[in-house]
Amino acid sequence: MPLARPLLGWLAFAVVMCLVPVFVSTGTVRILVFANFLAIFAMSWDVISGRTGYISFGHPFLIGIAGYTTAMLTYHLDTPLWLSIPAGVFATLVGGTLFLLPALRIRGTYFALVTLAFMELMYQLTQVIAPKVTGGTRGLSGIPTIVSGAIPNYYLTFGLVFAIGLGLWFVLRTRIGAALAALRMDEGAVAASGLSTIRLKLFAFMTSAAVAGIGGAFYVHYLGSIAPRGLFDINFLFTILVAALLGGSSTVAGPILGAYFLTFLLEYLRPYLPGPERYVIYGMIALVVYVLEPRGLHAILRTGARRLAPLLARRRIAP
Amino acid sequence: MTNILIQGLALSGLYALVAVGFTMIFSVGRVLNLAHGVFLMLGGYAYYTAVQVFGISKGAGIAIAVLAGAAFGILTYTVLVRRLEHNPIAVEISTLILAVVMQALIVVVYTSAPKSMWPIVPGVFRHEGVFVSHNILAAMVLSWIVLGGLVVFVRRTRLGRALRAVSMDRKGAVISGIDPHRMSLATWAISGGLAALAGVFFATYTQLTPGMWVAPLIIAVAVVVVGGIGSIVGSLVVAHLIGFMETVTTTLVAAELRGVFTMVLVIVVLVIVPKGLFGREEL
Amino acid sequence: MGRAVNTLLELREVTKRFGGLVALDGLSVHVDSGEFLGLIGPNGAGKTTAFGVLTGEQRPDSGRGYFHGDDVTRMPTHRRVARGIARTYQIPRPFGEMTVLDNVRVAMMPDSVRRLIAERPPEGVDRELLRSVGFGEREAAMYPDQLSMGELRKLELARTLATEPEVLLLDEVFAGLTRGEIAQLSALLVAERRSGMTAIIVSHDLRSLAPLVDRVVVMSFGAVIAEGAFEEVLDNPLVREAYLGQA
Amino acid sequence: MQLRTDRALAPLFAALAIGVAASLAHDARAVGDPVKVGFIGSFASDTGRSTLRGAEIAIEELNAAGGVLGGRMIELVSADTREDVTEGIKAYEYLNESENVDFIVSGSIDDVSLGWFPRMAEYRTPTLDTWTSYIGLIDMVGEEYEKYKMYFMNIACDYALGTLYVDFGKDVLGKQMGWKSTVILQEDTAFGGGVQEFIAEIMEAEAGIKVLDTIVYDTQTVDFAPIYNKAVALEPDFMYLISSVNSQVPSSQYVKLQVPVAMTGINVAALGLDFWNDTGGAGGGISTLSPIPAVGMELDDSSKVFAEKYRAKYGDERPVFPHFNGFNAYHGVKNAFAAAERAGGFAPLDDWVREMENTDVKLYKDGEFWHRYAYFKPGEIEPRTGREFVHNIKFDLTPPYDDGAPSMVVIQWYTDGTAKVVYPPKYASGEFSIPPWLQ
């Protein structure tokens, strides 16, 4: 199996991204930090939805569980971060098993709607149950941060993206990735091949939840605040989903690509369209790209690269 | 008790009206239109613009809203949905993106300031300390008429029977000479018009804001999912189940738990009876 | 040909309803080790449902299923497959976005997430298996939508063989095939039979089925109406009535 | 094993990396000569626009007068929050990291301010908030002064609003109207919860009004008929609404249902002149507490000038008249620059904070004290509440309000579409009234 070429790609990616802060302003670095978080969430979404075909409309639910757990632990109990972040991730794993429950019986649209209901329910619950602890509608502010400043945060979050991305890539390029893809194509035929579909789903959901949990916990400690309206929100869900799909689902590079593309699209529109028009253009571009190529930028680039490759090769041969 | 009965009936009627177009599209095309809430919102804004900005009569305002909704339904189908029809998930995602785009567009045109509208039917019904606005009673009566009309339409008319045939067996319908695309187009137009009509009532009852598409979408999803996706009668029954549940929760239990119970109902039904309480998938 | 001593796979008094429709009505059927059994009957007789119950894809309303004498009525599909029950589908169900080779590889996977990640896939076995059903390198790299019906049926067979089964449940193996393809597939099945495989074959193509099976069971309305050697069963008036009534 | 999707990772990543690098390349910028002011808030809400326009007009005036800090021009940079917490944080980062602003004026709503609050402490950018009234922010400044001292709140915090509101209950609802019982309708938000706790506690003890029940409702509630029904069944003399989110719904349904019990309270939708049009002319009889300078309040000369410029500049664009925070942004930006002039700039921070704390601008109307822009200093105790309000605008909770303006006024909408202040008496120009169908 040719391993060298993709690994070279990862290496080039790491080198370029590590050098980025040297060349760009801190403002851009700050934008990249958000792009990194979005990349983590999109990768997490893709593990459930892109790979197995169980479309999750409730990913903010998973992210929020980790975020709220670690936020409340540190805010109220002064729990150290090395304890509260794993606690948050663990809580998300429990939440992930909640996703498995409907996934035993339903898929596709129905599954998407249950997870959407999970998110809506969580939004209601953070406000109704013990608003003193969750901070109610306003949320909590003044949550401790891990490092401060744009560049340290950039390296921290890029480290997470790289570690998670490479980890996922290594795991999903093994036969488990093919098994999950098979699950997406025909669940019955997977069972008839002698594989436990429940076990595969559990693996995918737990992996996705763990990534969402890590992302969510670090996200909250980066923001320094947490509020239900920004989190359990259709617009947040929309960004995650579109990042994964626009980049190219069922790949590892796609969601990262999509997250960077979307974040920069929005930020680069800011100087020209500071107001609400920005979101119209942003949404329209996302819509057009998605409708024209549902397999995403990943596919567009790959086809482009494939068409370009022979041309480049010919040029090299020519004197 | 009378107040729960009257108010529950009224709210349920509104919910049924909100959900019916959503049901039709799923039933005929097997896709979920996550921009359904936007159809309502457009209806509301179109009516507002016609009646409260340009001072056109209410009847004309309603007609404009319904036409705008139907036109937008047709546009959504031909430009967006038709390309992706073979992939229901892609339709859901693209209509979700469309909803977010439309929300941004409304913000640009109307700003995000909430507006409230005059009731279409002014006045209040009072009976032994119970009060209900004529407007919501009108919405209730209208939803019964619309739903009844729809049942008659799909059972009795040629177009309706063709729609029903497509909803039951798409391939079979194609073989018997029905063009499923034209049927889908008709469904999106009808659904858009009905949603806009529901939007006028919904907005006159609550308020107009660019974020108002989420609440009716959640209602439609809850009604349709619990009722069994695609069943008109099921939707009607469940709209009443949810409407009454909300009224009872608000009146007797605790008003802040209103939304929580609805979401719990959705989750429980989907996990235990995935096909819904009236699990047919035809009109 | 005498009956073998030990029963491998068996359904006892199985009833299965879909709403008001009774698909299986107290069905009892068995196959012995090393035996090739033909399962025939008019459309809607319940043959495919019987397969579904045997593999655990459908749960019976009453009655039990046995494999090697063990009660497997509540055992999930993947565990039955692991123990040696494999099936093909009337309409082939390949993984559409995977090559022929990858399709077979999925069927060869161990049922363990840890092993799927940690172990390297066995080299060569997959291609060998494809060769045994007559696929070369060219076909291995093709996608299912590029295959003919005959090749799809061979792929299905290869996938079942990849699970190292003790008993094959083959649903309408000859449907949609050309004469040549039928001959090829029959040859493969004969080879399997010689190597001691057990199988239940559902087919409408009685002429192709006849030389392959030791015994036939005729189903109608979810129950057995006749069983025995091919020729004697076809002479049975009940069978004639079932088929003619259907026609 | 190779799937269709997992190929050619190398060129992909290379393309990705090159793309990012290329798109970032043109980012280098020089810090210009002008003083940069950042605005953070929603571009599409009346709230955000009021603050933005207040700041715009103040800056125009300062520039027209020859600039600031030795003749430098002021440049305004705006960042949209869309009233979304995450967007708010991004906007705050953008203003600081990409635009290097010297000072920020905010029209953010509560949770958005809470969202960027940690960023403010990190960048140490002087920040003036004009809409958020959450006491939690003021308490954070008091508790961790060193960390948050660059924050000033140019509106009386909700604790102060509530305190004065009890007086309104006592004087008007109790004495004048003769009301003895109420039912509180509270939205299910942190704001609602905080105010409710406060109101319920004091209403009975200080105003002699019995709270029969508190109905907490979900902010997404579609139908208020059951809630009003339940409240009316308890036969209170009036209902007390606490609503900051989706306020149009309860208030318009109150009017449409002609609920047979009077209602007053907090209704954020009714704070601006556009309320009348927004309700289609059905807002008569609604009254609400408002921070000052409120709609319907008679203005001092300097504020009048601002209001006229505002009208001239923005015409019929929403909001047609600035909300209270528009005034506070206008005066606030000018005061912040005055402090900067005294301190020699916005940096060093300590100097500016000191001068900002020394700000004391008193506005007079017809020779009488009208409004004051000054801020509570650390350690300064507000006499009536007996607590600190570090860096909150100075308010006065006891008549005759000479030590600062009152923390709030009550405005009343009439059926002819006008709004007037009805409390406290010193600022009143109209009478508290009940809806026409109850008269």
Side-chain angles (χ1 to χ4, degrees):
Chain A
M1 199 173 308
L3 238 172
R5 246 165 52 114
L7 275 182
L8 218 64
W10 281 102
L11 191 70
F13 177 55
V15 169
V16 172
M17 294 307 278
C18 282
L19 289 177
V20 158
V22 182
F23 298 107
V24 302
S25 72
T26 50
T28 312
V29 173
R30 281 284 182 186
I31 300 167
L32 274 165
V33 174
F34 273 102
N36 285 336
F37 277 113
L38 186 56
I40 296 172
F41 300 145
M43 284 192 284
S44 162
W45 184 85
D46 191 60
V47 173
I48 287 190
S49 305
R51 303 278 171 173
T52 69
Y54 278 83
I55 301 298
S56 158
F57 277 1
H59 239 64
F61 170 81
L62 296 177
I63 294 162
I65 291 177
Y68 263 103
T69 306
T70 182
M72 291 188 298
L73 282 175
T74 49
Y75 187 86
H76 294 293
L77 304 174
D78 287 320
T79 313
L81 292 178
W82 59 263
L83 202 66
S84 72
I85 291 177
V89 176
F90 179 76
T92 310
L93 290 178
V94 177
T97 46
L98 278 180
F99 271 32
L100 192 67
L101 225 60
L104 296 178
R105 300 178 58 109
I106 52 180
R107 56 180 296 139
T109 301
Y110 299 87
F111 178 76
L113 293 179
V114 178
T115 53
L116 183 69
F118 270 127
M119 182 180 86
E120 278 294 313
L121 186 62
M122 195 70 179
Y123 175 68
Q124 311 258 5
L125 287 180
T126 45
Q127 294 169 54
V128 173
I129 294 190
K132 286 253 160 57
V133 184
T134 62
T137 325
R138 279 184 178 124
L140 300 170
S141 185
I143 298 160
T145 49
I146 301 168
V147 290
S148 73
I151 292 177
N153 270 304
Y154 170 74
Y155 282 114
L156 176 69
T157 52
F158 176 69
L160 285 175
V161 169
F162 191 74
I164 291 171
L166 196 61
L168 285 178
W169 182 75
F170 259 114
V171 170
L172 294 172
R173 60 188 288 285
T174 66
R175 288 190 288 174
I176 191 83
L180 295 181
L183 197 69
R184 183 183 66 227
M185 296 171 212
D186 189 336
E187 212 168 313
V190 170
S193 301
L195 299 177
S196 161
T197 52
I198 296 175
R199 207 172 290 163
L200 289 174
K201 278 184 249 179
L202 186 68
F203 168 78
F205 286 27
M206 288 300 104
T207 309
S208 172
V211 173
I214 294 169
F218 277 91
Y219 189 50
V220 165
H221 288 296
Y222 171 68
L223 296 180
S225 62
I226 187 168
R229 222 163 45 93
L231 207 56
F232 305 117
D233 181 57
I234 286 202
N235 281 304
F236 184 45
L237 161 72
F238 160 83
T239 319
I240 296 171
L241 213 116
V242 172
L245 289 166
L246 209 60
S249 71
S250 206
T251 63
V252 175
I256 301 178
L257 190 68
Y260 287 174
F261 176 76
L262 274 190
T263 312
F264 273 90
L265 179 61
L266 197 56
E267 285 306 317
Y268 271 83
L269 288 172
R270 195 194 282 276
Y272 312 104
L273 295 169
E277 300 84 5
R278 198 154 63 105
Y279 296 95
V280 180
I281 305 296
Y282 163 81
M284 289 295 275
I285 291 176
L287 190 59
V288 168
V289 174
Y290 181 71
V291 171
L292 293 184
E293 178 49 283
R295 285 176 307 150
L297 296 171
H298 184 272
I300 294 175
L301 277 185
R302 225 186 41 210
T303 339
R306 205 180 290 150
R307 285 200 191 135
L308 225 60
L311 295 178
L312 291 176
R314 223 168 287 153
R315 206 167 293 162
R316 239 177 267 145
I317 295 163
Chain B
M1 270 305 112
T2 15
N3 60 339
I4 292 180
L5 196 67
I6 296 170
Q7 286 165 347
L9 274 175
L11 185 65
S12 306
L14 184 65
Y15 282 9
L17 197 59
V18 165
V20 64
F22 191 68
T23 303
M24 278 188 73
I25 287 182
F26 185 83
S27 178
V28 172
R30 285 290 182 278
V31 291
L32 284 189
N33 171 25
L34 295 187
H36 184 72
V38 169
F39 288 27
L40 270 93
M41 180 165 74
L42 282 182
Y45 274 97
Y47 177 84
Y48 169 83
T49 313
V51 176
Q52 266 164 258
V53 178
F54 291 107
I56 298 166
S57 76
K58 285 177 185 171
I62 292 177
I64 288 171
V66 170
L67 285 178
F72 191 69
I74 290 173
L75 204 67
T76 308
Y77 177 74
T78 45
V79 176
L80 208 63
V81 177
R82 201 176 158 163
R83 294 164 191 278
L84 306 165
E85 220 163 7
H86 55 278
N87 182 356
I89 298 290
V91 172
E92 280 158 36
I93 285 159
S94 58
T95 49
L96 180 66
I97 304 179
L98 177 69
V100 173
V101 172
M102 292 307 292
Q103 177 182 0
L105 204 61
I106 291 282
V107 171
V108 171
V109 179
Y110 292 92
T111 81
S112 59
K115 297 169 171 61
S116 56
M117 308 202 304
W118 301 320
I120 298 168
V121 186
V124 187
F125 165 84
R126 282 174 204 284
H127 176 75
E128 293 173 12
V130 183
F131 38 87
V132 184
S133 71
H134 286 160
N135 200 47
I136 197 168
L137 289 177
M140 174 182 87
V141 172
L142 187 74
S143 85
W144 286 346
I145 295 172
V146 166
L147 290 165
L150 211 57
V151 171
V152 172
F153 166 74
V154 297
R155 302 253 152 102
R156 295 285 156 80
T157 65
R158 264 194 68 200
L159 178 62
R161 274 194 294 243
L163 285 180
R164 198 152 174 245
V166 175
S167 86
M168 283 191 250
D169 179 1
R170 202 178 175 88
K171 274 188 196 141
V174 173
I175 292 165
S176 47
I178 299 171
D179 177 357
H181 286 302
R182 280 187 56 195
M183 293 303 114
S184 291
L185 195 65
T187 317
W188 280 80
I190 295 171
S191 172
L194 287 178
L197 183 65
V200 174
F201 278 93
F202 192 80
T204 49
Y205 204 61
T206 59
Q207 61 180 354
L208 273 177
T209 64
M212 69 171 276
W213 61 278
V214 179
L217 178 65
I218 300 280
I219 292 167
V221 164
V223 166
V224 164
V225 158
V226 174
I229 295 186
S231 156
I232 291 182
V233 178
S235 302
L236 186 64
V237 173
V238 174
H240 284 77
L241 183 67
I242 291 177
F244 272 98
M245 199 175 72
E246 287 194 3
T247 311
V248 169
T249 307
T250 315
T251 318
L252 301 178
V253 189
E256 73 262 39
L257 293 177
R258 188 196 61 84
V260 174
F261 277 124
T262 311
M263 283 306 120
V264 170
L265 181 71
V266 168
I267 293 171
V268 167
V269 167
L270 271 181
V271 172
I272 295 172
V273 206
K275 297 241 154 171
L277 299 179
F278 299 83
R280 307 184 318 153
E281 287 200 352
E282 67 222 45
L283 278 174
Chain C
M1 205 169 280
R3 223 184 108 176
V5 200
N6 54 333
T7 299
L8 185 61
L9 186 61
E10 184 180 10
L11 288 183
R12 256 185 234 164
E13 303 283 325
V14 168
T15 299
K16 173 76 188 169
R17 291 182 198 86
F18 294 109
L21 181 87
V22 183
L24 297 180
D25 190 6
L27 176 74
S28 293
V29 67
H30 70 92
V31 64
D32 293 331
S33 208
E35 182 187 31
F36 266 46
L37 174 69
L39 189 60
I40 62 173
N43 279 332
K47 295 162 295 190
T48 299
T49 309
F51 271 15
V53 172
L54 282 169
T55 57
E57 287 158 306
Q58 264 140 9
R59 188 144 288 181
D61 297 315
S62 67
R64 316 218 63 91
Y66 296 91
F67 184 56
H68 280 302
D70 300 333
D71 188 338
V72 293
T73 316
R74 307 212 138 254
M75 188 183 279
T77 305
H78 68 276
R79 284 188 45 211
R80 295 194 207 200
V81 177
R83 288 189 62 171
I85 306 174
R87 74 168 292 183
T88 66
Y89 293 93
Q90 188 172 352
I91 300 159
R93 286 167 69 174
F95 301 115
E97 295 163 44
M98 286 182 187
T99 62
V100 167
L101 183 63
D102 284 341
N103 261 282
V104 174
R105 281 171 171 171
V106 171
M108 295 174 84
M109 284 180 186
D111 183 25
S112 149
V113 169
R114 191 190 56 76
R115 288 179 58 200
L116 284 174
I117 296 171
E119 283 179 13
R120 295 181 66 86
E123 297 275 341
V125 192
D126 38 19
R127 288 196 161 73
E128 200 173 297
L129 185 68
L130 284 184
R131 269 196 299 281
S132 76
V133 297
F135 283 140
E137 275 304 310
R138 199 179 64 86
E139 287 89 353
M142 294 213 290
Y143 286 91
D145 52 13
Q146 300 167 297
L147 300 182
S148 72
M149 187 47 100
E151 287 168 325
L152 280 174
R153 297 244 180 253
K154 283 199 284 188
L155 175 57
E156 288 262 299
L157 184 64
R159 288 205 310 176
T160 52
L161 291 175
T163 65
E164 297 173 356
E166 277 189 65
V167 55
L168 292 175
L169 310 179
L170 306 174
D171 202 348
E172 294 292 354
V173 269
F174 301 121
L177 303 195
T178 62
R179 292 247 157 259
E181 285 174 335
I182 290 174
Q184 267 188 16
L185 201 60
S186 294
L188 284 173
L189 292 178
V190 167
E192 285 298 328
R193 188 181 172 188
R194 278 206 197 104
S195 64
M197 181 63 77
T198 309
I200 305 180
I201 305 175
V202 165
S203 181
H204 270 102
D205 184 349
L206 300 186
R207 216 157 50 146
S208 306
L209 187 65
L212 283 175
V213 295
D214 304 300
R215 180 166 65 97
V216 280
V217 166
V218 188
M219 280 177 72
S220 182
F221 294 109
V224 176
I225 54 167
E227 80 174 278
F230 218 103
E231 296 73 20
E232 55 189 77
V233 163
L234 287 188
D235 285 339
N236 189 321
L238 278 172
V239 175
R240 288 174 161 257
E241 191 195 318
Y243 269 93
L244 291 175
Q246 219 261 321
Chain D
M1 183 155 303
Q2 290 269 292
L3 296 179
R4 258 182 195 185
T5 43
D6 260 343
R7 281 181 200 155
L9 270 176
L12 187 69
F13 269 122
L16 168 62
I18 291 164
V20 168
S23 69
L24 304 183
H26 77 275
D27 228 55
R29 40 161 304 123
V31 178
D33 197 35
V35 182
K36 278 195 164 182
V37 173
F39 160 78
I40 183 168
S42 161
F43 284 24
S45 72
D46 293 348
T47 303
R49 288 179 169 200
S50 291
T51 297
L52 175 60
R53 293 169 179 184
E56 273 175 2
I57 292 173
I59 288 168
E60 274 172 21
E61 283 183 14
L62 290 170
N63 281 341
V68 291
L69 302 169
R72 292 164 70 190
M73 289 291 118
I74 307 170
E75 187 188 326
L76 181 68
V77 188
S78 309
D80 191 10
T81 60
R82 222 171 35 142
E83 303 202 334
D84 175 279
V85 183
T86 315
E87 284 304 314
I89 294 170
K90 283 192 198 166
Y92 203 92
E93 288 177 352
Y94 168 77
L95 291 175
N96 284 281
E97 303 267 14
S98 297
E99 298 287 351
N100 291 310
V101 297
D102 300 288
F103 167 72
I104 288 177
V105 56
S106 153
S108 309
I109 58 172
D110 291 18
D111 46 353
V112 173
S113 284
L114 269 166
W116 52 248
F117 212 61
R119 288 291 178 278
M120 178 195 71
E122 194 180 326
Y123 298 129
R124 310 196 70 71
T125 308
T127 301
L128 185 75
D129 221 340
T130 61
W131 205 91
T132 303
S133 65
Y134 182 36
I135 178 113
L137 293 166
I138 285 300
D139 283 345
M140 277 195 260
V141 179
E143 282 156 24
E144 293 182 81
Y145 181 74
E146 270 312 308
K147 197 170 168 188
Y148 299 118
K149 63 185 172 192
M150 69 295 292
Y151 181 80
F152 287 84
M153 187 186 275
N154 220 19
I155 159 185
C157 67
D158 41 23
Y159 195 88
L161 298 169
T163 304
L164 200 62
Y165 204 77
V166 171
D167 293 347
F168 170 69
K170 192 160 54 184
D171 295 348
V172 175
L173 306 177
K175 278 192 201 143
Q176 185 187 324
M177 305 301 291
W179 289 341
K180 297 201 162 41
S181 62
T182 188
V183 170
I184 299 177
L185 309 183
Q186 178 224 317
E187 69 180 9
D188 189 15
T189 63
F191 171 80
V195 175
Q196 187 277 336
E197 213 167 88
F198 189 82
I199 297 282
E201 215 176 86
I202 301 183
M203 196 74 97
E204 198 156 354
E206 295 214 10
I209 293 169
K210 193 170 162 50
V211 178
L212 300 175
D213 196 5
T214 296
I215 302 173
V216 183
Y217 66 86
D218 176 22
T219 53
Q220 298 295 318
T221 301
V222 169
D223 183 13
F224 276 83
I227 291 172
Y228 286 130
N229 230 305
K230 192 176 171 185
V232 169
L234 294 167
E235 300 184 347
D237 290 329
F238 69 103
M239 293 180 294
Y240 190 98
L241 176 71
I242 307 169
S243 168
S244 69
V245 180
N246 294 339
S247 306
Q248 293 276 15
V249 186
S251 62
S252 72
Q253 286 189 19
Y254 173 75
V255 174
K256 285 170 193 166
L257 288 168
Q258 307 207 330
V259 179
V261 170
M263 183 167 83
T264 183
I266 300 169
N267 180 346
V268 171
L271 291 181
L273 266 193
D274 305 85
F275 175 67
W276 188 254
N277 268 332
D278 290 345
T279 57
I286 297 284
S287 56
T288 179
L289 159 166
S290 171
I292 57 173
V295 159
M297 198 166 161
E298 289 171 21
L299 302 175
D300 82 304
D301 289 340
S302 67
S303 303
K304 252 186 213 158
V305 170
F306 165 64
E308 277 157 19
K309 282 185 181 166
Y310 184 101
R311 281 226 184 253
K313 186 162 184 198
Y314 303 107
D316 286 337
E317 260 181 73
R318 292 191 70 105
V320 294
F321 188 79
H323 289 202
F324 67 87
N325 53 313
F327 292 94
N328 288 337
Y330 170 75
H331 291 295
V333 166
K334 288 177 132 186
N335 294 336
F337 272 99
E341 294 285 359
R342 295 196 298 274
F346 287 100
L349 180 65
D350 282 348
D351 294 351
W352 180 79
V353 170
R354 189 194 62 234
E355 288 307 326
M356 195 67 180
E357 284 174 355
N358 288 333
T359 296
D360 195 354
V361 176
K362 285 188 175 166
L363 304 178
Y364 293 88
K365 178 182 167 290
D366 306 330
E368 251 192 272
F369 174 80
W370 183 77
H371 193 26
R372 179 178 178 190
Y373 288 98
Y375 302 93
F376 285 105
K377 291 176 182 156
E380 192 176 348
I381 303 289
E382 195 286 320
R384 179 158 170 195
T385 56
R387 78 198 298 288
E388 285 186 61
F389 294 94
V390 183
H391 287 187
N392 198 180
I393 191 173
K394 187 160 269 177
F395 46 80
D396 189 350
L397 297 173
T398 38
Y401 315 109
D402 282 342
D403 198 29
S407 59
M408 59 101 212
V409 295
V410 175
I411 50 177
Q412 172 77 52
W413 284 90
Y414 300 96
T415 44
D416 63 356
T418 57
K420 290 203 168 99
V421 172
V422 296
Y423 190 85
K426 184 183 167 187
Y427 291 84
S429 56
E431 280 283 308
F432 180 71
S433 80
I434 52 174
W437 65 88
L438 292 173
Q439 285 163 0

